[in-house]
Amino acid sequence: MKKYLLLGSILLTGIACTQQTEKEFSIEGTLEKPFTGTVYLGYIDQKYQNIDSITLSGANSFSFTQAIEHPDKYYIRFRPYQSGYEFIAEAGGKYTASAGAIGVQQGVEQKLMNQYLETVKPLEEESQSLMKQNPSTPEALATLQKQMNDNFFKREKATIDFIKAHPQSYTAVELASNLLLREYPEWKEVYETIDTLNYTYSYAFKTLKEKMEDARVIWIQNTQAPDFTTTDIHGKQVKLSDFKGKYVLLDFWASWCRPCRDKAKEIKAIYPQLQKRGVVMCGINLDEKKEQWVKATEEDGIIWTNTSELKPFNDNAISQAYKIRQIPALFLVSPSGEIIKQNPEIEYLLNLPEVTNPNK
């Protein structure tokens, strides 16, 4: 690996300059102002590691040439700290780094990544603008939260659409590994879209597979719903089996979870319609203190069965039985006791077939 010392605009090197080979990539960087410190080239295997470095003294440019076998993500980092770069390198690739962006003189994968970044740029700018807002009323805060939530899902959809448009690329694997999908079927669909043979060496692929496996472990749709016994807000014992013969919508929530509270408002607005279809709802609160549970219940005007163990999140036996790792989490249990839908959408609930004999 070549190590350089840049003094001002003078390049000092102890070895002769060599031409980039077909099994190497090169990157040349131009800084906005002279820099004194060390520039590192690195990537992630099991963990991040620096593989080359350049010491600068009042210089405003740097370069690296590195042997490479497969496309992979690399990083340029600076010490003392300043904003760095990340890029997808490949054999024969030639890149430039300046003004916070990576230019491509030669190379397919980073060009694809640049295309993706341009695609989501308006959404990223919208997100930055939303984060700068400081709402002064609860109503304005609720509106902002909805806008941010909508923006997030638009970006995720744009990312998945780009993955599907370029399924054989390393870029697709890299983008997939950064998704924040929740449901196992969604992860599975993305996984089955990309090339799962040629990029298994990469940290991105390993991250994607680990996320998918984590989602698979907690996916309990189409299994028998674990029975439980708990206590409602009035001190009455409640069992899941009490609702046999009806659809039961289990809602895991907490007072401190704003998305949970918003979801409850959505469901409350359609609850009379759900009841006509034979759906009852049972809330399973995950607060540790009763006063927090009671206050949130009163604020939200909860009208369905409302229970709590009043135990820490990770010590709650019901949440463990249902493999809860994040909330809100909803499970639709069939009249016969099977989980038929995990985190059902409102539209799905409104189109359930009616239970003809809900008391049997």
Side-chain angles (χ1 to χ4, degrees), residues 91-102:
K94 295 182 180 181
Y95 312 96
T96 59
S98 63
I102 296 292

Side-chain angles (χ1 to χ4, degrees), residues 228 230-236 238 243 246-254 259-275 279-286 293-294 296-308 328-331 346 349:
F228 57 80
T230 185
T231 306
D232 74 8
I233 203 164
H234 304 296
K236 180 183 175 182
V238 176
F243 305 106
K246 300 180 180 181
Y247 291 112
V248 187
L249 184 60
L250 300 177
D251 176 27
F252 290 82
W253 70 287
C260 297
R261 309 278 294 271
D262 292 340
K263 178 59 70 173
K265 290 178 183 178
E266 280 187 71
I267 294 173
K268 185 179 178 181
I270 63 163
Y271 195 51
Q273 295 171 259
L274 297 183
Q275 288 177 302
V279 179
V280 295
M281 188 161 175
C282 179
I284 301 173
N285 176 269
L286 299 174
W293 172 32
V294 171
T297 297
E298 292 174 347
E299 289 176 348
D300 296 350
I302 291 176
I303 56 177
W304 44 77
T305 302
N306 183 15
T307 74
S308 183
L330 292 95
F331 299 84
I346 296 296
L349 295 172

Side-chain angles (χ1 to χ4, degrees), residues 13 25 38 50 54-55 60 72-73 97 105 114 116 118 142-143 177 201-202 209 252 304 325-326 345 349 358:
T13 178
F25 72 83
T38 306
N50 294 318
I54 298 172
T55 301
N60 62 356
D72 214 335
K73 179 189 272 190
Q105 296 176 330
N114 287 350
Y116 164 76
E118 282 299 312
T143 298
S177 72
Y201 60 86
S202 67
K209 196 167 184 180
F252 290 82
W304 44 77
R325 293 189 184 174
Q326 56 182 311
E345 297 293 337
L349 295 172

Side-chain angles (χ1 to χ4, degrees), residues 119 154-166:
T119 298
K154 286 178 183 177
R155 281 183 289 156
E156 291 287 274
K157 183 181 184 305
T159 302
I160 292 172
D161 288 345
F162 196 90
I163 290 169
K164 290 180 177 179
H166 308 281

Side-chain angles (χ1 to χ4, degrees), residues 55-203:
T55 301
L56 305 182
S57 180
N60 62 356
S61 63
F62 63 88
S63 65
F64 291 103
T65 299
Q66 177 66 39
I68 187 172
E69 293 184 18
H70 313 283
D72 214 335
K73 179 189 272 190
Y74 282 74
Y75 301 82
I76 301 292
R77 293 182 172 177
F78 299 84
R79 295 291 183 276
Y81 175 80
Q82 67 177 38
S83 296
Y85 302 86
E86 57 183 51
F87 62 103
I88 301 175
E90 61 192 279
K94 295 182 180 181
Y95 312 96
T96 59
S98 63
I102 296 292
V104 182
Q105 296 176 330
Q106 188 170 305
V108 174
E109 295 291 351
Q110 185 59 39
K111 281 184 180 178
L112 272 181
M113 180 59 77
N114 287 350
Q115 289 176 26
Y116 164 76
L117 294 174
E118 282 299 312
T119 298
V120 298
K121 186 177 180 180
L123 292 171
E124 293 289 346
E125 291 174 345
E126 179 186 50
S127 176
Q128 293 297 322
S129 176
L130 290 171
M131 286 190 289
K132 292 177 182 178
Q133 295 185 27
N134 186 23
S136 56
T137 67
E139 294 76 13
L141 176 60
T143 298
L144 176 60
Q145 288 173 333
K146 184 180 186 306
Q147 290 173 329
M148 294 182 71
N149 192 57
D150 291 345
N151 174 272
F152 169 79
F153 284 111
K154 286 178 183 177
R155 281 183 289 156
E156 291 287 274
K157 183 181 184 305
T159 302
I160 292 172
D161 288 345
F162 196 90
I163 290 169
K164 290 180 177 179
H166 308 281
Q168 298 303 308
S169 67
Y170 171 84
T171 302
V173 177
E174 186 66 45
L175 293 175
S177 72
N178 290 311
L179 287 170
L180 296 174
L181 303 175
R182 184 174 180 182
E183 315 289 10
Y184 170 65
E186 293 177 309
W187 281 115
K188 187 171 182 287
E189 180 184 4
V190 170
Y191 183 81
E192 291 176 348
T193 297
I194 65 168
D195 185 336
T196 57
L197 296 177
N198 292 314
Y199 306 115
T200 57
Y201 60 86
S202 67
Y203 181 76

